[in-house]
Amino acid sequence: MYAEERQQAIAALIGMRGRVAVADLSEQYGVTTETVRRDLAALDRMGVVRRVHGGAVPATALAAIEPGIAEREHSRAEQKDRIAAAAVDYFPGAGGSVLLDAGTTTGRVAALLPSDRDLTLVTNSIPIAARVAGLGGVALHVLGGRVRGLTHAAVGDDVLRVLATLRLDVAFIGTNALSVGHGLSTPDTDEAAVKRAMLHSARHVVVVADSSKIGREHLISFGDIDSIDVLITDTDIDPEHRKELEDKGIEVVAA
C-alpha cells in the first residue's frame, strides 16, 4: 500500500470511529508507529484530522472553545509536574528576575521557586501571585489589568505598557499550540498581545508546554519559532517535531 492510499484509509477509519490510537493503526496497517505519526501529521496539515495525545480524531471533533483553567489544571497533570521540575534548572541566580506567564504549567513552575535566593518575580496570573505572595525571598510584582475569567490572567493596555518598560532575565511562557510554521499561538487576541510583549521583555525565553501542544496551531500567532530559547515538554513529543525544533536551534528538554 502506498503512503497516499494508507493515509486515505486512515482518514476514513478516523471519520468512522471518531478516534484512533497510533498503536492500533500501526498494527492494522503493518507499519511502524513512526510511520503512522508521519501519516497523521500529513493528514493534520491537510485539515482532515486533528492529532491528539496518542492518536487522532476527526477535524470537526475538536471544538474551537478554549478550555478553562479548572479543566486544564487536571489535564496531563503528571506531564506538567515533570515539566515544572525540569524548569527549575533555568531559574536565574540570586538577584535575578523571572517572568511567569499565566497558565497551569507555569503555575506548577511557580510552586517550585527556590527559597535559597532572592528573586524578582513578575506575573499577570492571579493564581500564581496568590501562591507566591508570602514566599520569602521573592519580590512579587503583579501586572494589573482586566482579568479574563477563563484563564485568570490580566490582559489589556495597562499590562502591555508595563511590559514595554521591563527587561527580565528569564520568562517562562505557556502556549496553547506550537508549530515551526505558525510559531507560538493561542485563540484569544488579548492573551496573544500580552504573551507577545512578554517574549520581547525577556533576555531568555523558556516555553513550558506538554507534548499535546506541539505540532498544533491556533488562530493567533504571538511569537515565531526563533523567539524560543528552550522548550521544556514531556517524553511523548513526536521525534519528528523534536528534530524540526532542534534544527531551528531550540534546546528541547523532554522531561
Side-chain angles (χ1 to χ4, degrees), residues 70-110:
E71 180 183 347
R72 289 186 289 119
E73 182 65 43
H74 300 290
S75 172
R76 298 180 65 80
E78 181 182 338
Q79 289 89 341
K80 291 176 181 179
D81 287 340
R82 296 202 306 267
I83 291 167
V88 169
D89 291 339
Y90 295 87
F91 286 130
S97 55
V98 176
L99 180 121
L100 282 175
D101 182 19
T104 55
T105 307
T106 49
R108 285 167 163 82
V109 175

PDB file of all heavy atoms in Angstrom, residues 70-110:
ATOM      1  N   ALA A  70      -9.815  25.485  35.240  1.00  0.00           N
ATOM      2  CA  ALA A  70     -10.118  24.310  36.057  1.00  0.00           C
ATOM      3  C   ALA A  70      -9.961  23.031  35.245  1.00  0.00           C
ATOM      4  O   ALA A  70      -9.400  22.034  35.729  1.00  0.00           O
ATOM      5  CB  ALA A  70     -11.540  24.419  36.614  1.00  0.00           C
ATOM      6  N   GLU A  71     -10.431  23.057  34.007  1.00  0.00           N
ATOM      7  CA  GLU A  71     -10.288  21.886  33.131  1.00  0.00           C
ATOM      8  C   GLU A  71      -8.831  21.614  32.813  1.00  0.00           C
ATOM      9  O   GLU A  71      -8.367  20.474  32.846  1.00  0.00           O
ATOM     10  CB  GLU A  71     -11.089  22.113  31.849  1.00  0.00           C
ATOM     11  CG  GLU A  71     -11.010  20.952  30.864  1.00  0.00           C
ATOM     12  CD  GLU A  71     -11.769  21.247  29.580  1.00  0.00           C
ATOM     13  OE1 GLU A  71     -12.554  22.226  29.557  1.00  0.00           O
ATOM     14  OE2 GLU A  71     -11.569  20.510  28.601  1.00  0.00           O
ATOM     15  N   ARG A  72      -8.072  22.673  32.519  1.00  0.00           N
ATOM     16  CA  ARG A  72      -6.668  22.491  32.147  1.00  0.00           C
ATOM     17  C   ARG A  72      -5.801  22.063  33.330  1.00  0.00           C
ATOM     18  O   ARG A  72      -4.780  21.420  33.153  1.00  0.00           O
ATOM     19  CB  ARG A  72      -6.123  23.785  31.532  1.00  0.00           C
ATOM     20  CG  ARG A  72      -6.703  24.065  30.155  1.00  0.00           C
ATOM     21  CD  ARG A  72      -6.070  25.260  29.482  1.00  0.00           C
ATOM     22  NE  ARG A  72      -6.453  26.503  30.119  1.00  0.00           N
ATOM     23  CZ  ARG A  72      -5.602  27.346  30.689  1.00  0.00           C
ATOM     24  NH1 ARG A  72      -4.312  27.077  30.735  1.00  0.00           N
ATOM     25  NH2 ARG A  72      -6.044  28.465  31.227  1.00  0.00           N
ATOM     26  N   GLU A  73      -6.211  22.408  34.530  1.00  0.00           N
ATOM     27  CA  GLU A  73      -5.432  22.058  35.715  1.00  0.00           C
ATOM     28  C   GLU A  73      -5.272  20.552  35.858  1.00  0.00           C
ATOM     29  O   GLU A  73      -4.236  20.058  36.311  1.00  0.00           O
ATOM     30  CB  GLU A  73      -6.101  22.635  36.967  1.00  0.00           C
ATOM     31  CG  GLU A  73      -5.347  22.386  38.263  1.00  0.00           C
ATOM     32  CD  GLU A  73      -3.998  23.085  38.302  1.00  0.00           C
ATOM     33  OE1 GLU A  73      -3.917  24.256  37.898  1.00  0.00           O
ATOM     34  OE2 GLU A  73      -3.015  22.432  38.727  1.00  0.00           O
ATOM     35  N   HIS A  74      -6.289  19.811  35.462  1.00  0.00           N
ATOM     36  CA  HIS A  74      -6.266  18.358  35.631  1.00  0.00           C
ATOM     37  C   HIS A  74      -5.871  17.613  34.357  1.00  0.00           C
ATOM     38  O   HIS A  74      -5.754  16.384  34.374  1.00  0.00           O
ATOM     39  CB  HIS A  74      -7.636  17.882  36.111  1.00  0.00           C
ATOM     40  CG  HIS A  74      -8.044  18.483  37.426  1.00  0.00           C
ATOM     41  ND1 HIS A  74      -7.436  18.148  38.616  1.00  0.00           N
ATOM     42  CD2 HIS A  74      -8.975  19.428  37.732  1.00  0.00           C
ATOM     43  CE1 HIS A  74      -7.981  18.840  39.599  1.00  0.00           C
ATOM     44  NE2 HIS A  74      -8.906  19.626  39.094  1.00  0.00           N
ATOM     45  N   SER A  75      -5.677  18.333  33.265  1.00  0.00           N
ATOM     46  CA  SER A  75      -5.288  17.711  32.013  1.00  0.00           C
ATOM     47  C   SER A  75      -3.778  17.496  31.966  1.00  0.00           C
ATOM     48  O   SER A  75      -3.009  18.437  32.154  1.00  0.00           O
ATOM     49  CB  SER A  75      -5.738  18.600  30.847  1.00  0.00           C
ATOM     50  OG  SER A  75      -5.231  18.119  29.628  1.00  0.00           O
ATOM     51  N   ARG A  76      -3.350  16.253  31.747  1.00  0.00           N
ATOM     52  CA  ARG A  76      -1.927  15.891  31.634  1.00  0.00           C
ATOM     53  C   ARG A  76      -1.129  16.406  32.832  1.00  0.00           C
ATOM     54  O   ARG A  76      -0.024  16.934  32.687  1.00  0.00           O
ATOM     55  CB  ARG A  76      -1.368  16.402  30.312  1.00  0.00           C
ATOM     56  CG  ARG A  76      -2.062  15.761  29.108  1.00  0.00           C
ATOM     57  CD  ARG A  76      -1.526  16.260  27.790  1.00  0.00           C
ATOM     58  NE  ARG A  76      -0.140  15.906  27.566  1.00  0.00           N
ATOM     59  CZ  ARG A  76       0.293  14.728  27.140  1.00  0.00           C
ATOM     60  NH1 ARG A  76      -0.565  13.750  26.925  1.00  0.00           N
ATOM     61  NH2 ARG A  76       1.578  14.499  26.951  1.00  0.00           N
ATOM     62  N   ALA A  77      -1.700  16.227  34.013  1.00  0.00           N
ATOM     63  CA  ALA A  77      -1.094  16.766  35.235  1.00  0.00           C
ATOM     64  C   ALA A  77       0.279  16.168  35.503  1.00  0.00           C
ATOM     65  O   ALA A  77       1.211  16.875  35.918  1.00  0.00           O
ATOM     66  CB  ALA A  77      -2.023  16.516  36.423  1.00  0.00           C
ATOM     67  N   GLU A  78       0.433  14.870  35.291  1.00  0.00           N
ATOM     68  CA  GLU A  78       1.733  14.226  35.555  1.00  0.00           C
ATOM     69  C   GLU A  78       2.817  14.801  34.664  1.00  0.00           C
ATOM     70  O   GLU A  78       3.929  15.079  35.117  1.00  0.00           O
ATOM     71  CB  GLU A  78       1.612  12.715  35.337  1.00  0.00           C
ATOM     72  CG  GLU A  78       2.897  11.948  35.601  1.00  0.00           C
ATOM     73  CD  GLU A  78       2.769  10.464  35.325  1.00  0.00           C
ATOM     74  OE1 GLU A  78       1.633   9.950  35.329  1.00  0.00           O
ATOM     75  OE2 GLU A  78       3.805   9.821  35.094  1.00  0.00           O
ATOM     76  N   GLN A  79       2.492  14.988  33.396  1.00  0.00           N
ATOM     77  CA  GLN A  79       3.476  15.560  32.469  1.00  0.00           C
ATOM     78  C   GLN A  79       3.838  16.989  32.869  1.00  0.00           C
ATOM     79  O   GLN A  79       5.010  17.384  32.812  1.00  0.00           O
ATOM     80  CB  GLN A  79       2.928  15.529  31.036  1.00  0.00           C
ATOM     81  CG  GLN A  79       2.840  14.147  30.424  1.00  0.00           C
ATOM     82  CD  GLN A  79       1.517  13.464  30.715  1.00  0.00           C
ATOM     83  OE1 GLN A  79       0.800  13.842  31.643  1.00  0.00           O
ATOM     84  NE2 GLN A  79       1.176  12.459  29.914  1.00  0.00           N
ATOM     85  N   LYS A  80       2.847  17.756  33.271  1.00  0.00           N
ATOM     86  CA  LYS A  80       3.100  19.138  33.678  1.00  0.00           C
ATOM     87  C   LYS A  80       3.986  19.194  34.922  1.00  0.00           C
ATOM     88  O   LYS A  80       4.839  20.079  35.048  1.00  0.00           O
ATOM     89  CB  LYS A  80       1.777  19.864  33.922  1.00  0.00           C
ATOM     90  CG  LYS A  80       0.974  20.106  32.645  1.00  0.00           C
ATOM     91  CD  LYS A  80      -0.372  20.737  32.942  1.00  0.00           C
ATOM     92  CE  LYS A  80      -1.175  20.953  31.680  1.00  0.00           C
ATOM     93  NZ  LYS A  80      -2.507  21.541  31.947  1.00  0.00           N
ATOM     94  N   ASP A  81       3.791  18.259  35.836  1.00  0.00           N
ATOM     95  CA  ASP A  81       4.645  18.214  37.032  1.00  0.00           C
ATOM     96  C   ASP A  81       6.098  17.954  36.655  1.00  0.00           C
ATOM     97  O   ASP A  81       7.024  18.559  37.211  1.00  0.00           O
ATOM     98  CB  ASP A  81       4.153  17.134  37.999  1.00  0.00           C
ATOM     99  CG  ASP A  81       2.863  17.519  38.710  1.00  0.00           C
ATOM    100  OD1 ASP A  81       2.555  18.724  38.767  1.00  0.00           O
ATOM    101  OD2 ASP A  81       2.170  16.605  39.202  1.00  0.00           O
ATOM    102  N   ARG A  82       6.311  17.060  35.705  1.00  0.00           N
ATOM    103  CA  ARG A  82       7.685  16.751  35.270  1.00  0.00           C
ATOM    104  C   ARG A  82       8.303  17.949  34.547  1.00  0.00           C
ATOM    105  O   ARG A  82       9.496  18.245  34.707  1.00  0.00           O
ATOM    106  CB  ARG A  82       7.694  15.522  34.366  1.00  0.00           C
ATOM    107  CG  ARG A  82       7.238  14.229  35.036  1.00  0.00           C
ATOM    108  CD  ARG A  82       7.772  13.000  34.305  1.00  0.00           C
ATOM    109  NE  ARG A  82       7.457  12.986  32.889  1.00  0.00           N
ATOM    110  CZ  ARG A  82       6.386  12.391  32.366  1.00  0.00           C
ATOM    111  NH1 ARG A  82       5.510  11.778  33.154  1.00  0.00           N
ATOM    112  NH2 ARG A  82       6.180  12.406  31.057  1.00  0.00           N
ATOM    113  N   ILE A  83       7.497  18.615  33.749  1.00  0.00           N
ATOM    114  CA  ILE A  83       7.984  19.804  33.038  1.00  0.00           C
ATOM    115  C   ILE A  83       8.413  20.872  34.035  1.00  0.00           C
ATOM    116  O   ILE A  83       9.485  21.483  33.898  1.00  0.00           O
ATOM    117  CB  ILE A  83       6.891  20.334  32.093  1.00  0.00           C
ATOM    118  CG1 ILE A  83       6.680  19.359  30.926  1.00  0.00           C
ATOM    119  CG2 ILE A  83       7.250  21.723  31.572  1.00  0.00           C
ATOM    120  CD1 ILE A  83       5.433  19.632  30.112  1.00  0.00           C
ATOM    121  N   ALA A  84       7.596  21.094  35.049  1.00  0.00           N
ATOM    122  CA  ALA A  84       7.926  22.103  36.064  1.00  0.00           C
ATOM    123  C   ALA A  84       9.209  21.753  36.800  1.00  0.00           C
ATOM    124  O   ALA A  84      10.046  22.625  37.066  1.00  0.00           O
ATOM    125  CB  ALA A  84       6.764  22.251  37.043  1.00  0.00           C
ATOM    126  N   ALA A  85       9.375  20.474  37.127  1.00  0.00           N
ATOM    127  CA  ALA A  85      10.592  20.050  37.825  1.00  0.00           C
ATOM    128  C   ALA A  85      11.832  20.314  36.979  1.00  0.00           C
ATOM    129  O   ALA A  85      12.883  20.731  37.494  1.00  0.00           O
ATOM    130  CB  ALA A  85      10.497  18.576  38.196  1.00  0.00           C
ATOM    131  N   ALA A  86      11.724  20.115  35.677  1.00  0.00           N
ATOM    132  CA  ALA A  86      12.854  20.380  34.785  1.00  0.00           C
ATOM    133  C   ALA A  86      13.115  21.873  34.635  1.00  0.00           C
ATOM    134  O   ALA A  86      14.256  22.298  34.412  1.00  0.00           O
ATOM    135  CB  ALA A  86      12.594  19.754  33.413  1.00  0.00           C
ATOM    136  N   ALA A  87      12.066  22.674  34.770  1.00  0.00           N
ATOM    137  CA  ALA A  87      12.211  24.124  34.603  1.00  0.00           C
ATOM    138  C   ALA A  87      13.049  24.752  35.705  1.00  0.00           C
ATOM    139  O   ALA A  87      13.622  25.841  35.521  1.00  0.00           O
ATOM    140  CB  ALA A  87      10.835  24.782  34.567  1.00  0.00           C
ATOM    141  N   VAL A  88      13.145  24.078  36.851  1.00  0.00           N
ATOM    142  CA  VAL A  88      13.920  24.609  37.987  1.00  0.00           C
ATOM    143  C   VAL A  88      15.359  24.925  37.573  1.00  0.00           C
ATOM    144  O   VAL A  88      15.957  25.898  38.047  1.00  0.00           O
ATOM    145  CB  VAL A  88      13.888  23.608  39.158  1.00  0.00           C
ATOM    146  CG1 VAL A  88      14.884  23.999  40.239  1.00  0.00           C
ATOM    147  CG2 VAL A  88      12.482  23.528  39.736  1.00  0.00           C
ATOM    148  N   ASP A  89      15.911  24.126  36.672  1.00  0.00           N
ATOM    149  CA  ASP A  89      17.301  24.325  36.243  1.00  0.00           C
ATOM    150  C   ASP A  89      17.500  25.644  35.501  1.00  0.00           C
ATOM    151  O   ASP A  89      18.648  26.064  35.291  1.00  0.00           O
ATOM    152  CB  ASP A  89      17.747  23.177  35.337  1.00  0.00           C
ATOM    153  CG  ASP A  89      17.881  21.855  36.085  1.00  0.00           C
ATOM    154  OD1 ASP A  89      18.029  21.886  37.323  1.00  0.00           O
ATOM    155  OD2 ASP A  89      17.822  20.796  35.435  1.00  0.00           O
ATOM    156  N   TYR A  90      16.416  26.292  35.104  1.00  0.00           N
ATOM    157  CA  TYR A  90      16.532  27.518  34.303  1.00  0.00           C
ATOM    158  C   TYR A  90      16.217  28.781  35.095  1.00  0.00           C
ATOM    159  O   TYR A  90      16.186  29.876  34.519  1.00  0.00           O
ATOM    160  CB  TYR A  90      15.635  27.406  33.058  1.00  0.00           C
ATOM    161  CG  TYR A  90      16.107  26.307  32.141  1.00  0.00           C
ATOM    162  CD1 TYR A  90      15.672  24.993  32.310  1.00  0.00           C
ATOM    163  CD2 TYR A  90      17.045  26.557  31.145  1.00  0.00           C
ATOM    164  CE1 TYR A  90      16.137  23.970  31.493  1.00  0.00           C
ATOM    165  CE2 TYR A  90      17.511  25.544  30.324  1.00  0.00           C
ATOM    166  CZ  TYR A  90      17.049  24.257  30.505  1.00  0.00           C
ATOM    167  OH  TYR A  90      17.515  23.236  29.706  1.00  0.00           O
ATOM    168  N   PHE A  91      16.008  28.647  36.409  1.00  0.00           N
ATOM    169  CA  PHE A  91      15.855  29.833  37.236  1.00  0.00           C
ATOM    170  C   PHE A  91      17.181  30.601  37.278  1.00  0.00           C
ATOM    171  O   PHE A  91      18.255  29.985  37.305  1.00  0.00           O
ATOM    172  CB  PHE A  91      15.454  29.464  38.662  1.00  0.00           C
ATOM    173  CG  PHE A  91      14.024  29.027  38.817  1.00  0.00           C
ATOM    174  CD1 PHE A  91      13.715  27.859  39.494  1.00  0.00           C
ATOM    175  CD2 PHE A  91      12.985  29.779  38.298  1.00  0.00           C
ATOM    176  CE1 PHE A  91      12.408  27.446  39.648  1.00  0.00           C
ATOM    177  CE2 PHE A  91      11.665  29.373  38.436  1.00  0.00           C
ATOM    178  CZ  PHE A  91      11.379  28.206  39.111  1.00  0.00           C
ATOM    179  N   PRO A  92      17.135  31.927  37.288  1.00  0.00           N
ATOM    180  CA  PRO A  92      18.374  32.711  37.379  1.00  0.00           C
ATOM    181  C   PRO A  92      18.967  32.627  38.779  1.00  0.00           C
ATOM    182  O   PRO A  92      18.318  32.147  39.716  1.00  0.00           O
ATOM    183  CB  PRO A  92      17.910  34.129  37.055  1.00  0.00           C
ATOM    184  CG  PRO A  92      16.484  34.165  37.505  1.00  0.00           C
ATOM    185  CD  PRO A  92      15.931  32.790  37.235  1.00  0.00           C
ATOM    186  N   GLY A  93      20.191  33.106  38.911  1.00  0.00           N
ATOM    187  CA  GLY A  93      20.847  33.133  40.211  1.00  0.00           C
ATOM    188  C   GLY A  93      20.289  34.223  41.106  1.00  0.00           C
ATOM    189  O   GLY A  93      19.350  34.951  40.737  1.00  0.00           O
ATOM    190  N   ALA A  94      20.870  34.331  42.292  1.00  0.00           N
ATOM    191  CA  ALA A  94      20.408  35.317  43.278  1.00  0.00           C
ATOM    192  C   ALA A  94      20.415  36.719  42.672  1.00  0.00           C
ATOM    193  O   ALA A  94      21.358  37.114  41.967  1.00  0.00           O
ATOM    194  CB  ALA A  94      21.299  35.271  44.509  1.00  0.00           C
ATOM    195  N   GLY A  95      19.342  37.462  42.943  1.00  0.00           N
ATOM    196  CA  GLY A  95      19.211  38.805  42.410  1.00  0.00           C
ATOM    197  C   GLY A  95      18.609  38.860  41.024  1.00  0.00           C
ATOM    198  O   GLY A  95      18.403  39.944  40.471  1.00  0.00           O
ATOM    199  N   GLY A  96      18.308  37.699  40.435  1.00  0.00           N
ATOM    200  CA  GLY A  96      17.765  37.645  39.087  1.00  0.00           C
ATOM    201  C   GLY A  96      16.281  37.944  39.045  1.00  0.00           C
ATOM    202  O   GLY A  96      15.602  38.044  40.069  1.00  0.00           O
ATOM    203  N   SER A  97      15.771  38.080  37.827  1.00  0.00           N
ATOM    204  CA  SER A  97      14.353  38.396  37.626  1.00  0.00           C
ATOM    205  C   SER A  97      13.703  37.342  36.750  1.00  0.00           C
ATOM    206  O   SER A  97      14.290  36.861  35.779  1.00  0.00           O
ATOM    207  CB  SER A  97      14.186  39.784  36.999  1.00  0.00           C
ATOM    208  OG  SER A  97      14.932  39.887  35.801  1.00  0.00           O
ATOM    209  N   VAL A  98      12.462  37.004  37.116  1.00  0.00           N
ATOM    210  CA  VAL A  98      11.717  35.942  36.437  1.00  0.00           C
ATOM    211  C   VAL A  98      10.340  36.471  36.057  1.00  0.00           C
ATOM    212  O   VAL A  98       9.684  37.149  36.853  1.00  0.00           O
ATOM    213  CB  VAL A  98      11.544  34.712  37.359  1.00  0.00           C
ATOM    214  CG1 VAL A  98      10.686  33.643  36.684  1.00  0.00           C
ATOM    215  CG2 VAL A  98      12.890  34.134  37.755  1.00  0.00           C
ATOM    216  N   LEU A  99       9.912  36.143  34.856  1.00  0.00           N
ATOM    217  CA  LEU A  99       8.549  36.433  34.433  1.00  0.00           C
ATOM    218  C   LEU A  99       7.809  35.111  34.272  1.00  0.00           C
ATOM    219  O   LEU A  99       8.305  34.193  33.614  1.00  0.00           O
ATOM    220  CB  LEU A  99       8.528  37.205  33.125  1.00  0.00           C
ATOM    221  CG  LEU A  99       7.108  37.526  32.628  1.00  0.00           C
ATOM    222  CD1 LEU A  99       6.889  39.014  32.469  1.00  0.00           C
ATOM    223  CD2 LEU A  99       6.841  36.815  31.320  1.00  0.00           C
ATOM    224  N   LEU A 100       6.652  35.007  34.894  1.00  0.00           N
ATOM    225  CA  LEU A 100       5.818  33.812  34.769  1.00  0.00           C
ATOM    226  C   LEU A 100       4.507  34.174  34.097  1.00  0.00           C
ATOM    227  O   LEU A 100       3.700  34.933  34.636  1.00  0.00           O
ATOM    228  CB  LEU A 100       5.550  33.186  36.140  1.00  0.00           C
ATOM    229  CG  LEU A 100       6.687  32.347  36.749  1.00  0.00           C
ATOM    230  CD1 LEU A 100       6.317  31.896  38.154  1.00  0.00           C
ATOM    231  CD2 LEU A 100       7.002  31.139  35.878  1.00  0.00           C
ATOM    232  N   ASP A 101       4.306  33.636  32.925  1.00  0.00           N
ATOM    233  CA  ASP A 101       3.069  33.784  32.183  1.00  0.00           C
ATOM    234  C   ASP A 101       1.943  33.058  32.928  1.00  0.00           C
ATOM    235  O   ASP A 101       2.188  32.142  33.718  1.00  0.00           O
ATOM    236  CB  ASP A 101       3.299  33.151  30.801  1.00  0.00           C
ATOM    237  CG  ASP A 101       2.130  33.255  29.867  1.00  0.00           C
ATOM    238  OD1 ASP A 101       1.248  34.104  30.095  1.00  0.00           O
ATOM    239  OD2 ASP A 101       2.110  32.484  28.889  1.00  0.00           O
ATOM    240  N   ALA A 102       0.713  33.441  32.673  1.00  0.00           N
ATOM    241  CA  ALA A 102      -0.417  32.747  33.275  1.00  0.00           C
ATOM    242  C   ALA A 102      -0.572  31.366  32.646  1.00  0.00           C
ATOM    243  O   ALA A 102      -0.316  31.172  31.459  1.00  0.00           O
ATOM    244  CB  ALA A 102      -1.696  33.557  33.076  1.00  0.00           C
ATOM    245  N   GLY A 103      -0.988  30.399  33.452  1.00  0.00           N
ATOM    246  CA  GLY A 103      -1.217  29.060  32.932  1.00  0.00           C
ATOM    247  C   GLY A 103      -1.045  28.009  34.002  1.00  0.00           C
ATOM    248  O   GLY A 103      -0.474  28.265  35.069  1.00  0.00           O
ATOM    249  N   THR A 104      -1.519  26.803  33.722  1.00  0.00           N
ATOM    250  CA  THR A 104      -1.439  25.740  34.720  1.00  0.00           C
ATOM    251  C   THR A 104      -0.038  25.131  34.793  1.00  0.00           C
ATOM    252  O   THR A 104       0.371  24.678  35.867  1.00  0.00           O
ATOM    253  CB  THR A 104      -2.466  24.641  34.415  1.00  0.00           C
ATOM    254  OG1 THR A 104      -2.294  24.163  33.077  1.00  0.00           O
ATOM    255  CG2 THR A 104      -3.880  25.183  34.564  1.00  0.00           C
ATOM    256  N   THR A 105       0.691  25.108  33.688  1.00  0.00           N
ATOM    257  CA  THR A 105       2.061  24.595  33.742  1.00  0.00           C
ATOM    258  C   THR A 105       2.980  25.603  34.405  1.00  0.00           C
ATOM    259  O   THR A 105       3.802  25.247  35.260  1.00  0.00           O
ATOM    260  CB  THR A 105       2.571  24.251  32.331  1.00  0.00           C
ATOM    261  OG1 THR A 105       1.635  23.376  31.685  1.00  0.00           O
ATOM    262  CG2 THR A 105       3.922  23.552  32.412  1.00  0.00           C
ATOM    263  N   THR A 106       2.835  26.879  34.060  1.00  0.00           N
ATOM    264  CA  THR A 106       3.642  27.905  34.724  1.00  0.00           C
ATOM    265  C   THR A 106       3.280  27.999  36.207  1.00  0.00           C
ATOM    266  O   THR A 106       4.124  28.334  37.038  1.00  0.00           O
ATOM    267  CB  THR A 106       3.446  29.274  34.052  1.00  0.00           C
ATOM    268  OG1 THR A 106       2.039  29.528  33.894  1.00  0.00           O
ATOM    269  CG2 THR A 106       4.122  29.307  32.685  1.00  0.00           C
ATOM    270  N   GLY A 107       2.030  27.692  36.544  1.00  0.00           N
ATOM    271  CA  GLY A 107       1.647  27.658  37.952  1.00  0.00           C
ATOM    272  C   GLY A 107       2.418  26.604  38.721  1.00  0.00           C
ATOM    273  O   GLY A 107       2.802  26.815  39.882  1.00  0.00           O
ATOM    274  N   ARG A 108       2.667  25.489  38.087  1.00  0.00           N
ATOM    275  CA  ARG A 108       3.473  24.443  38.719  1.00  0.00           C
ATOM    276  C   ARG A 108       4.936  24.884  38.847  1.00  0.00           C
ATOM    277  O   ARG A 108       5.615  24.531  39.801  1.00  0.00           O
ATOM    278  CB  ARG A 108       3.370  23.152  37.920  1.00  0.00           C
ATOM    279  CG  ARG A 108       2.043  22.426  38.102  1.00  0.00           C
ATOM    280  CD  ARG A 108       1.855  21.335  37.059  1.00  0.00           C
ATOM    281  NE  ARG A 108       0.815  20.386  37.422  1.00  0.00           N
ATOM    282  CZ  ARG A 108      -0.478  20.573  37.239  1.00  0.00           C
ATOM    283  NH1 ARG A 108      -0.905  21.726  36.718  1.00  0.00           N
ATOM    284  NH2 ARG A 108      -1.353  19.653  37.585  1.00  0.00           N
ATOM    285  N   VAL A 109       5.412  25.637  37.863  1.00  0.00           N
ATOM    286  CA  VAL A 109       6.770  26.193  37.956  1.00  0.00           C
ATOM    287  C   VAL A 109       6.854  27.137  39.156  1.00  0.00           C
ATOM    288  O   VAL A 109       7.820  27.110  39.914  1.00  0.00           O
ATOM    289  CB  VAL A 109       7.146  26.934  36.649  1.00  0.00           C
ATOM    290  CG1 VAL A 109       8.502  27.619  36.795  1.00  0.00           C
ATOM    291  CG2 VAL A 109       7.163  25.962  35.470  1.00  0.00           C
ATOM    292  N   ALA A 110       5.833  27.966  39.342  1.00  0.00           N
ATOM    293  CA  ALA A 110       5.815  28.906  40.465  1.00  0.00           C
ATOM    294  C   ALA A 110       5.909  28.184  41.799  1.00  0.00           C
ATOM    295  O   ALA A 110       6.546  28.671  42.744  1.00  0.00           O
ATOM    296  CB  ALA A 110       4.532  29.746  40.414  1.00  0.00           C
TER     297      ALA A 110
END
